Amino acid sequence: MRVYADNAATTRMSEVAIKAMMPYMSEVYGNPSSLHSIGQEAKEHLDSARAIMAKNLGCEPFEIIFTSGGSEADNQAIVSAATIGARKNKKHIISTAFEHHAVLHTLKKLEKQGYEIELLDVHENGMVTAEQVKDAIREDTCLVTIMYANNEIGSVMPIKEIGAVCKEKGVLFHTDAVQAAGHIKIDVKEQNIDMLSLSAHKFHGPKGVGALYARRGIMLSNIIEGGAQERGKRAGTENIPAIMGMAAAFEDACNNIDAHTEKLLKMRDRLIEGLAKVPHSILNGDRESRLAGNVHFCFEGIEGEALLLLLDMHGVCASSGSACTSGSLDPSHVLMAIGRPHDIAHGSLRLSLSAENTEEEIDHILTVVPKVVAQLRNMSPVWRDLQEGRREYVIQ
Ligand SMILES: *Cc1c(COP(=O)(O)O)cnc(C)c1O
């Protein structure tokens, strides 16, 4: 048996998405900017994809810009808000310490350009409150950017409340909703969201395509210069096959949120309860306000990398946290943000499920993980020290 439990890194494309893409690689091949009928035909389909995205986000089609993915949408949203702010001499930006690097690295760049970046503390349970945001907003704040759901530990932020605070104070609010879109019901108007990023490959759509929602009236800055595509805000001939695949996958995901959530919660909670029985283990992220497919644990006395390799040998494909930081020896910035000590953070495991997973696969994970953890602990000098009392347990 081989179990794919790394859906926060990427998902398998759905049949719906593949089927939706096929005609755009053969029959409908025009350039939507061309004036002739073959081009205009492509443009009609592009418009229909935009309408589908808008309908499922609760916004207008012209408020959607297609991008190359979540990273580009994050970059564009943040740079746009910063540019708008600079015109009014507002250069204070509020975010959190556990954002995705697409957000954190963009903020770092702005800091070098003279912006003041304030990263809010994240509580031990992986949550940031609207109250914290309210206290941090100043006269010169131009943007609040806070992720909808964390990609490592799965905690889901009180987005509507944070949005309400920003609205009341007249500050732009952007959310990186890459882990939430297609998994949690989103209505940008109802949830007071000014800008939102999403990415198709996190909801069974194709890789390399995403979208940025920006409320009417928000002047976007270009990240990519060139032609007048996407209302002049994102140059480059549109990737129509990918965009059609994304729209189909998004609609399919949104239509099935309730059914998928119900199925996922059963599997997730069984995993959480099972893995919590492993001695000296701790669940990361809030127990309640949590993505339906996310399980994230730290196991004391082991190395996450070794755990992943052994799990893979036993047919379980998982991650230590973010796909982006694997390969580096630094502990996860997310686990640092919630205050896990270094050696605990190194022993982390993320299992991210999709509705394609089965109860049999959960059984398999529940057999394999405790066995492999025990096996690694048997070889670990740190574990021996803990067992023999030369060292204190951090996780009780
Ligand atoms: C995956 C991810 C991104 C990046 O999206 P890409 O489409 O891969 O560029 C950004 N933010 C979060 C929270 C993610 O999980």
Side-chain angles (χ1 to χ4, degrees), residues 4 13 18 89 122 254 274 380 386:
Y4 185 70
M13 265 178 75
I18 295 170
N89 227 356
V122 182
C254 290
S380 155
L386 288 163

Side-chain angles (χ1 to χ4, degrees), residues 120-265:
L120 300 177
D121 290 336
V122 182
H123 293 245
E124 199 223 336
N125 65 351
M127 299 294 287
V128 173
T129 65
E131 196 61 26
Q132 282 176 279
V133 176
K134 192 173 187 170
D135 292 342
I137 290 178
R138 312 191 310 214
E139 278 300 305
D140 63 341
T141 305
C142 62
L143 171 69
V144 171
T145 174
I146 294 180
M147 68 199 324
Y148 204 124
N150 186 270
N151 48 304
E152 293 189 30
I153 58 176
S155 47
V156 179
M157 301 308 112
I159 289 301
K160 185 178 172 179
E161 290 71 26
I162 293 172
V165 164
C166 295
K167 195 172 185 175
E168 189 198 313
K169 301 261 185 181
V171 176
L172 283 180
F173 175 46
H174 165 254
T175 186
D176 173 344
V178 174
Q179 290 292 332
H183 304 281
I184 296 174
K185 279 182 194 140
I186 297 179
D187 183 318
V188 290
K189 307 284 154 168
E190 202 247 334
Q191 292 171 302
N192 310 304
I193 300 167
D194 293 316
M195 288 189 277
L196 174 144
S197 310
L198 60 79
S199 175
H201 75 101
K202 303 286 175 76
F203 49 77
H204 303 279
K207 293 168 182 56
V209 65
L212 170 62
Y213 150 76
R215 179 173 53 72
R216 147 189 250 145
I218 294 173
M219 181 69 170
L220 292 177
S221 307
N222 293 49
I223 301 293
I224 298 179
E225 302 288 352
Q229 292 91 353
E230 301 299 298
R231 293 187 293 115
K233 298 303 172 198
R234 204 282 182 180
T237 303
E238 299 85 348
N239 185 352
I240 303 220
I243 290 169
M244 300 311 291
M246 169 166 70
F250 192 48
E251 176 129 285
D252 188 43
C254 290
N255 286 342
N256 287 296
I257 286 178
D258 288 337
H260 287 170
T261 301
E262 196 188 324
K263 182 177 182 203
L264 282 168
L265 286 179

Side-chain angles (χ1 to χ4, degrees), residues 317-353:
C317 299
S319 157
S320 58
S322 138
C324 322
T325 45
S326 59
S328 89
L329 287 174
D330 293 338
S332 144
H333 71 286
V334 173
L335 295 178
M336 294 292 103
I338 62 167
R340 296 281 180 251
H342 275 231
D343 15 343
I344 298 302
H346 276 299
S348 66
L349 173 68
R350 178 184 71 187
L351 297 158
S352 47
L353 309 174

